[in-house]
Amino acid sequence: MTIGARIPRVEDARFLRGEGRYVADLAMPFMVEAYVLRSPYPHAIIRSIDASEALKLEGVEAVFTAADVPADLGPIVCRIPTHGDLSPYLQHPLAQDRVRYVGEPIAVIVAKSRAICEDAAELVEIDFDPLPAITSPYRAIEPNAEPIHEAGNLAGDWGFDLGNVEEALKSAAYTVQESFSVQRHTAMPMETRGLLASYDRGRNLLEVHGATKVVHTNRNMLAGMLGMSEQDIRLVEPDVGGSFGARGEFYPEDFLIPFAAKRLCKPVRWIEDRVEHFGAINHSRDSDFVVTVAADENGIITAFDVKLVTDMGGYIRTHGDVVPSHAAACFPGPYKVRNYRINTKTVMTNKTPTGTYRAPGMFEANFARERAIDRLADKMGLERAELRRRNLIPAEMMPWHVGTESVKRPTIFDSGDYPAVFEKALAGYGWDAPFEREENGWLRGRGLCAFVEPSGLGAFEGVRLEVDQRGNVTIFSGSSNQGQGHETVLAQIVSSIIDVPVEKIAVRHGDTGIITFGGGTYASRTAVLCGEALYNASHGIRDKALKTASAKFNIPVEELELREGAVWQAGKNEPLITLGGIARILMPGNPEFLKPPSDKNIPDHDGLVVTSYIRGVPGGTWAFAVHIADVLVDPRTGETKVEKYFVACDVGRQLNPLIVEGQLIGGVAQGLGGTFLEELTYSEDGQLTTGTFADYMMPNVYNMPPVSTLVLEDVKPEGNVLGVKGVGEIGPSGVAAAIGNAIADALKSNTGLNILPFTPERVLSAVPTVTR
Amino acid sequence: MTLHQVSFTVNGKKVSVEVEPRQTLADVLRGQLGLTGTHLGCEHGVCGACTIIVNGEPARGCLMLGVQAEGAEILTVEGASPDEGLSLIQEALREFHGLQCGFCTPGMVMALHHLFSVNTSPTEEEIKEAISGQLCRCTGYQGIVNAAKAVAQRLQAQQ
Ligand code: FES
Ligand code: FES
């Protein structure tokens, strides 16, 4: 069985040898380069654009502005359902007469080289009328605030009201109210974005390399915007240097670069530079909470009452309001709390538009809820794990309907034994083990958090599995891959069913030219959905092979088995025929079987090929996880050091423990970045002030504590055939919560630890004056 | 723009290219010599994806100009890889899952290559120092450090 085997990845060799092919490594004959001219103003009217001088520069091919795109071209649509109508806030690929954030595309310059493009950009004259910039969502919704969009700055005002929160608050023995703030930060993959588009005018074929994540969805959007047939456009994913939710959405450039290639009938390449990336990629998080949590005298949590404000930036993009939507739908977390109320405000500001980043809305909500629960425990004088223990949803109450919905899907925690995992996590870490509270003037604290994490979302996924005449197997997958290890994991699934070694199974993905429909990769969905499609396709191949061998050798199917890449008759020590042999028989036109189909005959002549599309489970499948950390804090300087970090989770079933562990540890690293270091800050006049790696700090090797994991396979979800849950987002999701609780525990203080990131200044401000 | 003729050795081969004065060495390697294993993650000297070895010392390909390479000995990830298969360092990175998207990986390989070329038995601290200027967004570094520790052990065992 290769499912569940801890094997190194098959895709690694090319990356290690420098043979990965990322979009910037691709080139085409007669290719020209594009540069996106972006707004230097956070908010301004564009009076005029004069590109005539730029066009005179030698080597410049074209300058496209809003005047050059078809007048009836609409904005980039939002691809998922939202709370209320967000269509007034969508972004056009090029700014029309107004810019709303620094970095908004205004023009595309195409020239022989990127350097010439940049020279030409200096020559484009734009007459701006600056308007006041709004960088605070609270300022944005004041009555006299400058409207950023005609529809106003308050894009959404919605929520849920379950049970009777008023009553619960009134009768509570304890209540705690706290405000929390999760800063704007984002995915920041090590590879910037890029595209290479080429257009064959004679055949009206457009090819775009550099797409990723949801290539079919993006292809369809592009077809609509260009007025082309979907089948005349091919989007291809090369190797991709990380996504984490932000990359691969339909960005303005995803229209602009193919558009330029089509207009010029030349290959056009655009490679984003890092500074550009900071202002152009979706930002994320940027959410504030006010949380009231109530409990009775026995430590049973009776209500959550929450207010959430999310800063959406200048436009609504393809993800709409997923971040606040997930946060609002899932706020109660793994606790059986029936009185839950939330009001959510989504607000437009003059900052880069926002979208998803790994564990969207969950990192935020987990931080606010789990910090508030620790406060409640302290107030009650109850041990912090004990308070959680008393409130976890018990196994017998599964599936648990929260009563909320996100992106029009009901929030249903499908499976799991949360209390059991919780106890195993505490034992696994040694939560109760005593520890030194002080060391050389530093204070030690221990913190934990518990949460649920969705995975396997989305309507469907599809694969096609093909075996060639030599027995080589190829998976054509509708999902995509940005480094998660799908080439290995998908091959493992097939390998375990048709018994062909993983090395003989190639995986092709992220290409609209290889499979008709594809869902793509997001929401930790590939193992769950693509895994199930592949399971079905592999069984299809198996059945087809056995049936064919049965017809050919006149042996009943029941006496045949498939192993080691061949069909065997039970009890014989020579195989009857290899899979390659079967594939040859099944080739269309094989004269041996050019007979009318009948029961006795070979089933069909369409190759040893099986296509399988599967439907998703509406609510997805949810993993339960616990994070625990020990942290040292220097009360004199506010410096912190995470000593050790621990993640426990039940994932149903692991496909490859090495990859599961890698996802968890890598995810923790990103969570630590968001907890301590990373922040996209804006000056009051709307300029991004952390726009390089010198100001936007990401974890390096010194920032990483040892991370250990406890991955359980206790309860298999029933919604998918492999019994798996996605693991991509469990790593980051609880980090800020566990660390915040650990620092608070070290300092025996809570003030100041509700605002991320935990800079030394903030931590210092949390130190009680007696300690200082 | 005037072009300059620059000659240097890369991965053991002598090359001669015409470069613009403003072109970085990384751009020359990638664009003119097709050595696309050297990656660009920031182009301002912070991420380390472009790490190469110049005259025996690790260098940032994005911070050097092509014209500065005159007469230099340069090693890139392509040159640090065996004709077939993987080097000891590469093999260990694979075994310990020291890479995911692979974008930072050539820089990591080169930083470790340099470390082990000057020190066959580095401590954990020395390993961390050697990769402290290399950003990886995917792995959390644990697999990379573990891989390097394994390399050190294996080199010891060979002696
Ligand atoms: S590209 Fe050279 S250090 Fe980042
Ligand atoms: S493996 Fe993706 S950045 Fe290191």
Side-chain angles (χ1 to χ4, degrees):
Chain A
M1 280 300 273
T2 48
I3 288 187
R6 188 184 173 92
I7 54 170
R9 306 194 315 170
V10 295
E11 57 262 65
D12 282 347
R14 69 175 186 271
F15 299 132
L16 287 159
R17 294 175 53 85
E19 290 167 356
R21 283 285 167 273
Y22 301 84
V23 62
D25 306 334
L26 308 177
M28 286 183 130
F30 310 110
M31 179 179 88
V32 287
E33 303 266 357
Y35 170 88
V36 181
L37 178 58
R38 297 172 185 279
S39 174
Y41 288 99
H43 199 189
I45 304 285
I46 301 175
R47 291 270 168 241
S48 65
I49 305 176
D50 180 0
S52 52
E53 287 305 308
L55 282 164
K56 283 183 204 153
L57 192 72
E58 196 187 318
V60 172
E61 303 260 337
V63 179
F64 298 112
T65 67
D68 298 293
V69 300
D72 60 350
L73 179 77
I76 300 166
V77 297
C78 174
R79 67 177 173 86
I80 45 180
T82 56
H83 295 269
D85 179 18
L86 296 179
S87 60
Y89 303 98
L90 299 176
Q91 179 171 14
H92 286 263
L94 288 173
Q96 299 196 297
D97 45 16
R98 204 195 249 232
V99 286
R100 294 179 171 90
Y101 64 95
V102 172
E104 179 168 354
I106 295 175
V108 180
I109 301 171
V110 184
K112 295 243 150 30
S113 73
R114 163 103 188 189
I116 298 174
C117 289
E118 287 178 25
D119 293 342
E122 304 274 309
L123 302 173
V124 178
E125 294 247 359
I126 307 174
D127 189 7
F128 291 103
D129 237 350
L131 295 167
I134 302 180
T135 55
S136 151
Y138 302 101
R139 169 73 192 121
I141 51 177
E142 282 173 9
N144 63 345
E146 180 80 24
I148 298 169
H149 290 268
E150 259 171 45
N153 297 340
L154 183 61
D157 189 354
W158 47 269
F160 304 105
D161 192 352
L162 308 175
N164 192 337
V165 171
E166 278 311 322
E167 192 43 51
L169 292 178
K170 238 184 274 159
S171 58
Y174 300 91
T175 56
V176 159
Q177 191 181 71
E178 292 278 315
S179 302
F180 299 94
S181 179
V182 180
Q183 84 283 19
R184 179 173 276 247
H185 59 288
T186 192
M188 214 51 71
M190 288 315 300
E191 185 202 13
T192 59
R193 294 180 303 140
L195 293 164
L196 168 56
S198 66
Y199 180 60
D200 177 341
R201 179 154 141 177
R203 292 188 291 174
N204 189 36
L205 291 179
L206 179 66
E207 199 163 290
V208 184
H209 295 261
T212 179
K213 187 174 181 177
V214 286
V215 294
H216 288 83
T217 311
N218 284 359
R219 189 266 319 264
N220 297 351
M221 286 172 76
L222 182 61
M225 292 175 85
L226 289 173
M228 290 177 72
S229 147
E230 287 168 7
Q231 298 311 328
D232 290 341
I233 302 179
R234 182 174 188 183
L235 260 57
V236 187
E237 174 187 63
D239 285 324
V240 176
S243 164
F244 319 115
R247 182 200 204 91
E249 284 303 315
F250 199 100
Y251 284 93
E253 299 83 5
D254 290 283
F255 168 79
L256 295 170
I257 306 306
F259 167 80
K262 190 163 180 250
R263 271 296 184 82
L264 298 171
C265 294
K266 278 185 185 175
V268 176
R269 183 171 73 173
W270 164 72
I271 304 299
E272 189 182 55
D273 74 24
R274 181 56 68 181
V275 174
E276 189 179 12
H277 181 89
F278 268 96
I281 190 97
N282 286 343
H283 292 177
S284 197
R285 313 265 195 242
D286 209 349
S287 295
D288 292 348
F289 298 80
V290 179
V291 180
T292 308
V293 49
D296 68 13
E297 60 288 346
N298 299 319
I300 302 301
I301 298 174
T302 50
F304 288 116
D305 190 14
V306 184
K307 289 188 170 44
L308 166 61
V309 174
T310 302
D311 179 341
M312 306 303 291
Y315 295 96
I316 296 292
R317 280 190 172 163
T318 46
H319 271 115
D321 52 10
V322 163
V323 168
S325 183
H326 277 11
C330 311
F331 190 90
Y335 306 110
K336 47 176 198 295
V337 178
R338 282 303 186 197
N339 302 308
Y340 168 51
R341 179 167 66 184
I342 186 166
N343 170 262
T344 306
K345 289 186 170 52
T346 51
V347 186
M348 309 310 294
T349 59
N350 292 115
K351 302 187 206 167
T352 292
T354 52
T356 50
Y357 170 35
R358 202 169 184 180
M362 308 304 289
F363 176 91
E364 298 88 326
N366 292 337
F367 172 62
R369 182 191 64 249
E370 294 295 311
R371 289 283 298 117
I373 287 179
D374 260 26
R375 291 289 273 157
L376 178 67
D378 291 350
K379 193 162 178 178
M380 300 180 69
L382 197 58
E383 201 273 325
R384 291 167 291 150
E386 177 58 24
L387 175 55
R388 289 177 172 83
R389 185 180 284 130
R390 291 184 192 177
N391 289 283
L392 287 171
I393 301 165
E396 58 274 14
M397 289 179 112
M398 289 289 157
W400 176 263
H401 293 248
V402 179
T404 57
E405 61 170 34
S406 182
V407 297
K408 299 271 183 288
R409 282 183 307 238
T411 315
I412 306 168
F413 303 157
D414 57 304
S415 59
D417 188 340
Y418 300 177
V421 176
F422 190 70
E423 296 309 328
K424 286 183 187 178
L426 299 183
Y429 188 82
W431 169 256
D432 293 324
F435 58 92
E436 285 302 325
R437 283 270 167 196
E438 218 186 312
E439 197 172 303
N440 304 327
W442 289 60
L443 303 174
R444 184 176 282 110
R446 183 169 289 169
L448 93 165
C449 73
F451 61 93
V452 275
E453 189 63 40
S455 73
L457 302 177
F460 79 100
E461 193 49 275
V463 296
R464 192 174 70 258
L465 196 54
E466 295 192 0
V467 184
D468 77 3
Q469 300 182 57
R470 281 163 199 85
N472 297 303
V473 181
T474 305
I475 299 166
F476 296 91
S477 161
S479 71
S480 58
N481 181 30
Q482 302 90 36
Q484 299 90 334
H486 297 162
E487 291 181 28
T488 304
V489 170
L490 299 185
Q492 283 181 264
I493 294 169
V494 174
S495 167
S496 69
I497 297 166
I498 65 170
D499 202 24
V500 167
V502 164
E503 299 72 39
K504 271 192 110 174
I505 302 173
V507 183
R508 309 272 173 248
H509 50 77
D511 181 346
T512 63
I514 60 170
I515 184 160
T516 310
F517 304 101
T521 293
Y522 55 92
S524 302
R525 72 195 299 276
T526 298
V528 180
L529 291 165
C530 196
E532 174 150 346
L534 263 183
Y535 175 91
N536 293 346
S538 304
H539 278 281
I541 289 283
R542 193 175 164 276
D543 294 349
K544 211 166 174 179
L546 295 182
K547 246 180 167 169
T548 306
S550 163
K552 164 113 180 144
F553 299 105
N554 218 352
I555 302 170
V557 167
E558 303 73 60
E559 287 175 29
L560 298 174
E561 59 188 44
L562 181 65
R563 62 185 155 88
E564 294 162 45
V567 177
W568 303 63
Q569 187 173 9
K572 298 273 160 68
N573 41 21
E574 283 292 313
L576 280 171
I577 185 167
T578 62
L579 272 182
I582 304 264
R584 206 157 21 223
I585 291 174
L586 288 175
M587 278 168 73
N590 180 354
E592 194 180 347
F593 292 97
L594 277 183
K595 292 179 255 171
S598 75
D599 276 356
K600 288 226 154 25
N601 203 351
I602 302 301
D604 36 35
H605 299 133
D606 56 357
L608 191 46
V609 176
V610 173
T611 303
S612 166
Y613 287 100
I614 60 112
R615 215 180 258 277
V617 176
T621 179
W622 298 66
F624 174 71
V626 177
H627 284 200
I628 307 179
D630 274 19
V631 178
L632 277 172
V633 186
D634 185 341
R636 296 151 301 194
T637 61
E639 263 181 278
T640 43
K641 185 171 157 16
V642 182
E643 285 191 298
K644 47 182 181 165
Y645 203 96
F646 174 75
V647 179
C649 52
D650 184 357
V651 301
R653 179 188 195 182
Q654 304 191 71
L655 299 178
N656 182 334
L658 188 67
I659 290 177
V660 169
E661 192 180 284
Q663 286 294 310
L664 294 176
I665 297 170
V668 167
Q670 290 186 344
L672 287 169
T675 300
F676 285 112
L677 300 169
E678 299 174 36
E679 184 164 20
L680 293 159
T681 53
Y682 279 81
S683 64
E684 237 165 72
D685 55 1
Q687 298 291 333
L688 180 63
T689 50
T690 46
T692 71
F693 280 156
D695 325 291
Y696 185 90
M697 309 300 280
M698 299 203 301
N700 65 27
V701 68
Y702 289 133
N703 300 116
M704 278 304 287
V707 181
S708 56
T709 60
L710 173 65
V711 182
L712 303 168
E713 301 181 310
D714 291 355
V715 180
K716 308 247 177 306
E718 281 167 18
N720 70 84
V721 67
L722 293 172
V724 296
K725 298 181 176 188
V727 296
E729 296 167 280
I730 295 169
S733 203
V735 178
I739 296 289
N741 287 341
I743 298 176
D745 181 51
L747 296 178
K748 300 281 169 239
S749 153
N750 273 289
T751 38
L753 292 172
N754 294 354
I755 301 175
L756 293 175
F758 296 139
T759 58
E761 298 76 52
R762 289 213 176 100
V763 173
L764 197 56
S765 76
V767 177
T769 28
V770 279
T771 318
R772 253 189 270 181
Chain B
M1 187 126 345
T2 47
L3 295 177
H4 295 254
Q5 189 77 30
V6 182
S7 303
F8 50 90
T9 307
V10 58
N11 302 334
K13 277 202 206 80
K14 282 205 171 346
V15 295
S16 188
V17 284
E18 292 198 322
V19 306
E20 286 181 24
R22 66 178 173 186
Q23 260 182 303
T24 66
L25 178 55
D27 280 340
V28 174
L29 292 169
R30 291 175 47 81
Q32 262 142 295
L33 297 169
L35 296 168
T36 53
T38 300
H39 293 163
L40 293 169
C42 70
E43 295 177 90
H44 56 249
V46 185
C47 76
C50 63
T51 301
I52 52 177
I53 311 290
V54 179
N55 297 328
E57 289 298 324
R60 310 244 139 159
C62 74
L63 291 184
M64 271 184 80
L65 292 171
V67 291
Q68 291 174 294
E70 179 62 44
E73 287 268 356
I74 295 170
L75 186 72
T76 70
V77 67
E78 289 88 350
S81 307
D83 289 346
E84 293 290 333
L86 300 174
S87 69
L88 199 63
I89 292 167
Q90 290 167 329
E91 193 53 59
L93 283 167
R94 176 165 187 257
E95 190 182 329
F96 289 87
H97 198 17
L99 64 152
Q100 288 182 26
C101 78
F103 198 77
C104 72
T105 306
M108 288 289 178
V109 168
M110 297 316 286
L112 291 175
H113 182 93
H114 177 259
L115 170 68
F116 286 105
S117 69
V118 296
N119 179 1
T120 52
S121 54
T123 61
E124 180 159 340
E125 264 325 294
E126 288 169 326
I127 290 167
K128 286 187 175 172
E129 197 191 328
I131 61 164
S132 61
Q134 312 292 122
L135 286 178
C136 173
R137 190 55 158 168
C138 298
T139 63
Y141 305 98
Q142 198 155 306
I144 300 169
V145 173
N146 288 343
K149 290 201 300 205
V151 171
Q153 261 170 21
R154 286 165 197 178
L155 287 174
Q156 290 314 297
Q158 276 174 17
Q159 277 170 10

